[in-house]
Short mmCIF file of all heavy atoms in Angstrom, two decimals:
data_model
loop_
_atom_site.label_atom_id
_atom_site.label_comp_id
_atom_site.label_asym_id
_atom_site.label_seq_id
_atom_site.Cartn_x
_atom_site.Cartn_y
_atom_site.Cartn_z
N GLU A 1030 99.02 36.89 20.31
CA GLU A 1030 98.14 36.73 21.53
C GLU A 1030 98.97 36.56 22.78
O GLU A 1030 98.62 37.12 23.83
CB GLU A 1030 97.15 35.56 21.33
CG GLU A 1030 96.11 35.75 20.30
CD GLU A 1030 96.59 35.53 18.89
OE1 GLU A 1030 97.67 34.87 18.67
OE2 GLU A 1030 95.92 35.97 17.91
N ASP A 1031 100.06 35.80 22.69
CA ASP A 1031 100.96 35.65 23.81
C ASP A 1031 101.56 36.98 24.26
O ASP A 1031 101.57 37.30 25.47
CB ASP A 1031 102.12 34.66 23.52
CG ASP A 1031 101.71 33.21 23.35
OD1 ASP A 1031 100.63 32.81 23.88
OD2 ASP A 1031 102.42 32.48 22.69
N ILE A 1032 102.01 37.73 23.30
CA ILE A 1032 102.65 39.00 23.62
C ILE A 1032 101.58 39.95 24.20
O ILE A 1032 101.88 40.65 25.17
CB ILE A 1032 103.30 39.61 22.36
CG1 ILE A 1032 104.45 38.68 21.89
CG2 ILE A 1032 103.79 41.01 22.57
CD1 ILE A 1032 104.98 38.92 20.50
N GLN A 1033 100.42 39.99 23.60
CA GLN A 1033 99.33 40.87 24.06
C GLN A 1033 99.00 40.50 25.55
O GLN A 1033 98.74 41.29 26.39
CB GLN A 1033 98.10 40.85 23.24
CG GLN A 1033 97.02 41.84 23.63
CD GLN A 1033 97.53 43.27 23.57
OE1 GLN A 1033 97.92 43.71 22.54
NE2 GLN A 1033 97.37 44.00 24.64
N PHE A 1034 98.96 39.15 25.81
CA PHE A 1034 98.62 38.66 27.20
C PHE A 1034 99.66 39.15 28.14
O PHE A 1034 99.32 39.62 29.20
CB PHE A 1034 98.58 37.13 27.14
CG PHE A 1034 98.42 36.51 28.52
CD1 PHE A 1034 97.17 36.44 29.06
CD2 PHE A 1034 99.48 36.00 29.22
CE1 PHE A 1034 97.02 35.92 30.31
CE2 PHE A 1034 99.32 35.42 30.46
CZ PHE A 1034 98.05 35.36 31.02
N LEU A 1035 100.93 39.12 27.73
CA LEU A 1035 102.00 39.61 28.63
C LEU A 1035 101.88 41.11 28.88
O LEU A 1035 102.04 41.51 30.03
CB LEU A 1035 103.36 39.25 28.09
CG LEU A 1035 103.71 37.77 27.96
CD1 LEU A 1035 105.00 37.61 27.17
CD2 LEU A 1035 103.82 37.13 29.28
N ILE A 1036 101.59 41.88 27.86
CA ILE A 1036 101.42 43.29 28.08
C ILE A 1036 100.19 43.59 28.85
O ILE A 1036 100.23 44.48 29.77
CB ILE A 1036 101.37 43.97 26.70
CG1 ILE A 1036 102.75 43.86 26.01
CG2 ILE A 1036 100.93 45.51 26.79
CD1 ILE A 1036 102.74 44.35 24.54
N ASP A 1037 99.10 42.88 28.68
CA ASP A 1037 97.89 43.07 29.44
C ASP A 1037 98.07 42.81 30.93
O ASP A 1037 97.39 43.42 31.73
CB ASP A 1037 96.75 42.06 28.99
CG ASP A 1037 96.09 42.45 27.69
OD1 ASP A 1037 96.20 43.69 27.34
OD2 ASP A 1037 95.44 41.65 27.07
N ASN A 1038 98.99 41.95 31.28
CA ASN A 1038 99.19 41.66 32.69
C ASN A 1038 100.20 42.56 33.39
O ASN A 1038 100.52 42.36 34.57
CB ASN A 1038 99.61 40.20 32.84
CG ASN A 1038 98.40 39.35 32.64
OD1 ASN A 1038 97.39 39.49 33.25
ND2 ASN A 1038 98.48 38.43 31.66
N LEU A 1039 100.66 43.57 32.68
CA LEU A 1039 101.47 44.64 33.34
C LEU A 1039 100.55 45.49 34.20
O LEU A 1039 99.39 45.73 33.84
CB LEU A 1039 102.19 45.52 32.28
CG LEU A 1039 103.28 44.91 31.46
CD1 LEU A 1039 103.68 45.90 30.37
CD2 LEU A 1039 104.45 44.59 32.32
N PRO A 1040 101.07 46.05 35.26
CA PRO A 1040 100.24 47.09 36.02
C PRO A 1040 99.89 48.24 35.04
O PRO A 1040 100.65 48.56 34.14
CB PRO A 1040 101.21 47.53 37.16
CG PRO A 1040 102.12 46.37 37.28
CD PRO A 1040 102.30 45.79 35.95
N ASP A 1041 98.74 48.84 35.29
CA ASP A 1041 98.24 49.86 34.36
C ASP A 1041 99.24 50.94 34.03
O ASP A 1041 99.34 51.41 32.87
CB ASP A 1041 96.96 50.41 34.84
CG ASP A 1041 95.80 49.40 34.75
OD1 ASP A 1041 95.79 48.60 33.80
OD2 ASP A 1041 94.89 49.46 35.65
N GLY A 1042 99.97 51.47 35.04
CA GLY A 1042 100.91 52.52 34.78
C GLY A 1042 102.04 52.11 33.90
O GLY A 1042 102.44 52.78 32.94
N TYR A 1043 102.61 50.89 34.14
CA TYR A 1043 103.61 50.36 33.31
C TYR A 1043 103.14 50.18 31.87
O TYR A 1043 103.80 50.49 30.89
CB TYR A 1043 104.06 48.99 33.85
CG TYR A 1043 104.79 48.91 35.12
CD1 TYR A 1043 104.99 50.04 35.95
CD2 TYR A 1043 105.30 47.70 35.60
CE1 TYR A 1043 105.68 49.90 37.14
CE2 TYR A 1043 105.94 47.59 36.84
CZ TYR A 1043 106.09 48.74 37.60
OH TYR A 1043 106.77 48.64 38.81
N LYS A 1044 101.88 49.61 31.76
CA LYS A 1044 101.27 49.30 30.50
C LYS A 1044 101.13 50.58 29.65
O LYS A 1044 101.43 50.60 28.44
CB LYS A 1044 99.97 48.60 30.68
CG LYS A 1044 99.28 48.22 29.47
CD LYS A 1044 98.06 47.39 29.86
CE LYS A 1044 97.14 47.09 28.69
NZ LYS A 1044 95.96 46.33 29.08
N MET A 1045 100.55 51.63 30.28
CA MET A 1045 100.38 52.87 29.52
C MET A 1045 101.67 53.44 29.00
O MET A 1045 101.80 53.81 27.82
CB MET A 1045 99.68 53.88 30.39
CG MET A 1045 98.16 53.73 30.40
SD MET A 1045 97.31 55.19 30.97
CE MET A 1045 97.81 55.28 32.70
N VAL A 1046 102.70 53.54 29.87
CA VAL A 1046 103.92 54.13 29.47
C VAL A 1046 104.63 53.22 28.42
O VAL A 1046 105.12 53.70 27.37
CB VAL A 1046 104.88 54.37 30.67
CG1 VAL A 1046 106.25 54.79 30.24
CG2 VAL A 1046 104.31 55.41 31.63
N PHE A 1047 104.59 51.91 28.61
CA PHE A 1047 105.16 50.96 27.70
C PHE A 1047 104.55 51.15 26.31
O PHE A 1047 105.21 51.26 25.27
CB PHE A 1047 105.03 49.53 28.14
CG PHE A 1047 105.64 48.53 27.16
CD1 PHE A 1047 106.96 48.30 27.13
CD2 PHE A 1047 104.82 47.87 26.26
CE1 PHE A 1047 107.53 47.41 26.20
CE2 PHE A 1047 105.34 46.99 25.30
CZ PHE A 1047 106.70 46.74 25.28
N ASN A 1048 103.17 51.16 26.27
CA ASN A 1048 102.51 51.29 24.95
C ASN A 1048 102.82 52.67 24.30
O ASN A 1048 103.02 52.68 23.11
CB ASN A 1048 100.96 51.17 25.14
CG ASN A 1048 100.51 49.74 25.30
OD1 ASN A 1048 101.14 48.84 24.73
ND2 ASN A 1048 99.50 49.54 26.04
N LEU A 1049 102.76 53.72 25.09
CA LEU A 1049 103.04 55.05 24.50
C LEU A 1049 104.46 55.15 23.93
O LEU A 1049 104.66 55.77 22.91
CB LEU A 1049 102.74 56.08 25.58
CG LEU A 1049 101.26 56.34 25.89
CD1 LEU A 1049 101.16 57.26 27.16
CD2 LEU A 1049 100.53 56.92 24.77
N TYR A 1050 105.37 54.57 24.67
CA TYR A 1050 106.80 54.65 24.23
C TYR A 1050 107.12 53.65 23.19
O TYR A 1050 107.62 53.99 22.09
CB TYR A 1050 107.74 54.49 25.48
CG TYR A 1050 109.18 54.69 25.18
CD1 TYR A 1050 109.75 55.96 25.17
CD2 TYR A 1050 110.00 53.60 24.81
CE1 TYR A 1050 111.10 56.11 24.85
CE2 TYR A 1050 111.29 53.77 24.52
CZ TYR A 1050 111.90 55.05 24.53
OH TYR A 1050 113.16 55.22 24.24
N ALA A 1051 106.94 52.39 23.49
CA ALA A 1051 107.41 51.27 22.62
C ALA A 1051 106.56 51.11 21.37
O ALA A 1051 107.02 50.75 20.32
CB ALA A 1051 107.56 50.00 23.36
N ILE A 1052 105.26 51.28 21.49
CA ILE A 1052 104.38 51.02 20.39
C ILE A 1052 103.97 52.26 19.60
O ILE A 1052 104.04 52.32 18.43
CB ILE A 1052 103.06 50.30 20.88
CG1 ILE A 1052 103.57 48.90 21.42
CG2 ILE A 1052 102.06 50.11 19.80
CD1 ILE A 1052 102.50 48.13 22.11
N GLU A 1053 103.62 53.36 20.37
CA GLU A 1053 103.22 54.58 19.73
C GLU A 1053 104.37 55.45 19.34
O GLU A 1053 104.18 56.34 18.49
CB GLU A 1053 102.26 55.35 20.59
CG GLU A 1053 100.99 54.59 21.00
CD GLU A 1053 100.12 54.15 19.87
OE1 GLU A 1053 100.20 54.80 18.75
OE2 GLU A 1053 99.38 53.16 19.91
N GLY A 1054 105.51 55.29 19.96
CA GLY A 1054 106.71 56.10 19.60
C GLY A 1054 106.84 57.47 20.23
O GLY A 1054 107.58 58.30 19.78
N TYR A 1055 106.05 57.72 21.29
CA TYR A 1055 106.16 58.99 21.99
C TYR A 1055 107.42 59.04 22.77
O TYR A 1055 108.01 58.03 23.20
CB TYR A 1055 105.00 59.17 22.98
CG TYR A 1055 103.66 59.44 22.29
CD1 TYR A 1055 102.71 58.50 22.17
CD2 TYR A 1055 103.38 60.74 21.80
CE1 TYR A 1055 101.49 58.75 21.56
CE2 TYR A 1055 102.16 61.06 21.21
CZ TYR A 1055 101.27 60.03 21.05
OH TYR A 1055 100.01 60.26 20.47
N LYS A 1056 107.95 60.26 22.97
CA LYS A 1056 109.13 60.47 23.83
C LYS A 1056 108.73 60.65 25.22
O LYS A 1056 107.55 60.95 25.53
CB LYS A 1056 109.88 61.71 23.32
CG LYS A 1056 110.42 61.59 21.89
CD LYS A 1056 111.18 62.83 21.50
CE LYS A 1056 111.79 62.79 20.09
NZ LYS A 1056 111.76 61.65 19.30
N HIS A 1057 109.67 60.44 26.16
CA HIS A 1057 109.32 60.53 27.55
C HIS A 1057 108.75 61.90 27.95
O HIS A 1057 107.85 61.95 28.77
CB HIS A 1057 110.49 60.17 28.42
CG HIS A 1057 110.84 58.72 28.43
ND1 HIS A 1057 110.02 57.72 29.01
CD2 HIS A 1057 111.90 58.05 27.91
CE1 HIS A 1057 110.55 56.56 28.82
NE2 HIS A 1057 111.70 56.72 28.22
N GLN A 1058 109.24 62.92 27.38
CA GLN A 1058 108.73 64.25 27.65
C GLN A 1058 107.26 64.36 27.29
O GLN A 1058 106.43 64.94 28.03
CB GLN A 1058 109.60 65.25 26.90
CG GLN A 1058 109.21 66.72 27.19
CD GLN A 1058 110.10 67.72 26.44
OE1 GLN A 1058 110.92 67.27 25.60
NE2 GLN A 1058 109.95 68.97 26.79
N GLU A 1059 106.85 63.81 26.08
CA GLU A 1059 105.48 63.85 25.65
C GLU A 1059 104.64 63.00 26.57
O GLU A 1059 103.48 63.34 26.91
CB GLU A 1059 105.39 63.33 24.21
CG GLU A 1059 106.13 64.19 23.18
CD GLU A 1059 106.22 63.56 21.87
OE1 GLU A 1059 106.71 62.37 21.73
OE2 GLU A 1059 105.76 64.20 20.83
N ILE A 1060 105.09 61.80 26.98
CA ILE A 1060 104.37 60.91 27.84
C ILE A 1060 104.12 61.59 29.14
O ILE A 1060 102.97 61.53 29.68
CB ILE A 1060 105.12 59.55 28.02
CG1 ILE A 1060 105.21 58.82 26.67
CG2 ILE A 1060 104.40 58.68 29.05
CD1 ILE A 1060 106.20 57.61 26.69
N ALA A 1061 105.15 62.20 29.70
CA ALA A 1061 105.01 62.92 30.98
C ALA A 1061 103.93 63.95 30.82
O ALA A 1061 103.08 64.06 31.79
CB ALA A 1061 106.31 63.49 31.38
N ALA A 1062 103.91 64.69 29.85
CA ALA A 1062 102.85 65.77 29.65
C ALA A 1062 101.49 65.13 29.52
O ALA A 1062 100.53 65.64 30.09
CB ALA A 1062 103.20 66.64 28.42
N MET A 1063 101.40 64.08 28.72
CA MET A 1063 100.03 63.41 28.56
C MET A 1063 99.53 62.87 29.86
O MET A 1063 98.30 62.95 30.06
CB MET A 1063 100.17 62.28 27.54
CG MET A 1063 100.39 62.72 26.10
SD MET A 1063 100.70 61.29 25.03
CE MET A 1063 99.05 60.65 24.80
N LEU A 1064 100.36 62.25 30.67
CA LEU A 1064 99.93 61.56 31.85
C LEU A 1064 100.02 62.42 33.11
O LEU A 1064 99.61 61.98 34.19
CB LEU A 1064 100.69 60.23 32.05
CG LEU A 1064 100.64 59.26 30.88
CD1 LEU A 1064 101.49 58.04 31.18
CD2 LEU A 1064 99.18 58.85 30.65
N GLY A 1065 100.61 63.61 32.97
CA GLY A 1065 100.70 64.46 34.15
C GLY A 1065 101.70 63.90 35.19
O GLY A 1065 101.49 64.02 36.38
N ILE A 1066 102.80 63.40 34.75
CA ILE A 1066 103.86 62.85 35.56
C ILE A 1066 105.20 63.51 35.19
O ILE A 1066 105.27 64.17 34.18
CB ILE A 1066 103.96 61.29 35.47
CG1 ILE A 1066 104.24 60.88 34.01
CG2 ILE A 1066 102.66 60.65 36.01
CD1 ILE A 1066 104.42 59.36 33.85
N ASN A 1067 106.20 63.25 36.00
CA ASN A 1067 107.57 63.64 35.66
C ASN A 1067 108.18 62.81 34.57
O ASN A 1067 107.87 61.66 34.42
CB ASN A 1067 108.47 63.60 36.88
CG ASN A 1067 108.07 64.54 37.97
OD1 ASN A 1067 107.65 65.66 37.68
ND2 ASN A 1067 108.25 64.17 39.20
N GLU A 1068 109.08 63.44 33.83
CA GLU A 1068 109.82 62.69 32.78
C GLU A 1068 110.55 61.44 33.38
O GLU A 1068 110.58 60.35 32.79
CB GLU A 1068 110.80 63.56 32.02
CG GLU A 1068 111.33 62.94 30.75
CD GLU A 1068 112.14 63.98 29.96
OE1 GLU A 1068 111.88 65.22 30.09
OE2 GLU A 1068 113.00 63.51 29.19
N GLY A 1069 111.18 61.64 34.50
CA GLY A 1069 111.89 60.55 35.21
C GLY A 1069 110.90 59.41 35.55
O GLY A 1069 111.29 58.27 35.52
N THR A 1070 109.73 59.77 35.98
CA THR A 1070 108.72 58.73 36.34
C THR A 1070 108.38 57.93 35.10
O THR A 1070 108.24 56.73 35.15
CB THR A 1070 107.46 59.37 36.95
OG1 THR A 1070 107.85 60.14 38.04
CG2 THR A 1070 106.43 58.38 37.31
N SER A 1071 108.27 58.59 33.92
CA SER A 1071 107.95 57.88 32.69
C SER A 1071 109.06 56.89 32.38
O SER A 1071 108.82 55.75 32.07
CB SER A 1071 107.76 58.88 31.55
OG SER A 1071 107.62 58.22 30.32
N LYS A 1072 110.31 57.37 32.53
CA LYS A 1072 111.44 56.49 32.25
C LYS A 1072 111.50 55.29 33.23
O LYS A 1072 111.79 54.16 32.83
CB LYS A 1072 112.75 57.29 32.34
CG LYS A 1072 112.85 58.32 31.18
CD LYS A 1072 114.14 59.10 31.36
CE LYS A 1072 114.31 60.12 30.24
NZ LYS A 1072 115.51 60.91 30.38
N SER A 1073 111.18 55.57 34.47
CA SER A 1073 111.15 54.57 35.49
C SER A 1073 110.08 53.51 35.20
O SER A 1073 110.32 52.31 35.32
CB SER A 1073 110.97 55.19 36.82
OG SER A 1073 110.74 54.22 37.81
N GLN A 1074 108.90 53.99 34.83
CA GLN A 1074 107.77 53.08 34.52
C GLN A 1074 108.18 52.15 33.35
O GLN A 1074 107.86 50.93 33.35
CB GLN A 1074 106.52 53.83 34.21
CG GLN A 1074 105.92 54.66 35.38
CD GLN A 1074 105.34 53.82 36.42
OE1 GLN A 1074 104.41 53.04 36.22
NE2 GLN A 1074 105.86 53.91 37.64
N LEU A 1075 108.80 52.72 32.35
CA LEU A 1075 109.20 51.95 31.24
C LEU A 1075 110.26 50.88 31.58
O LEU A 1075 110.19 49.74 31.16
CB LEU A 1075 109.77 52.87 30.10
CG LEU A 1075 110.27 52.16 28.82
CD1 LEU A 1075 109.13 51.38 28.14
CD2 LEU A 1075 110.94 53.12 27.88
#
Side-chain angles (χ1 to χ4, degrees):
E1030 291 80 18
D1031 290 337
I1032 296 166
Q1033 186 63 55
F1034 176 78
L1035 294 173
I1036 293 171
D1037 281 343
N1038 286 305
L1039 290 172
D1041 289 327
Y1043 293 4
K1044 182 177 174 179
M1045 276 198 294
V1046 172
F1047 179 82
N1048 282 330
L1049 290 169
Y1050 184 86
I1052 296 172
E1053 302 299 336
Y1055 287 102
K1056 295 181 179 1
H1057 287 293
Q1058 184 178 9
E1059 296 169 306
I1060 295 168
M1063 288 173 79
L1064 300 178
I1066 59 177
N1067 293 325
E1068 190 173 337
T1070 302
S1071 175
K1072 291 177 182 179
S1073 171
Q1074 296 288 300
L1075 178 63

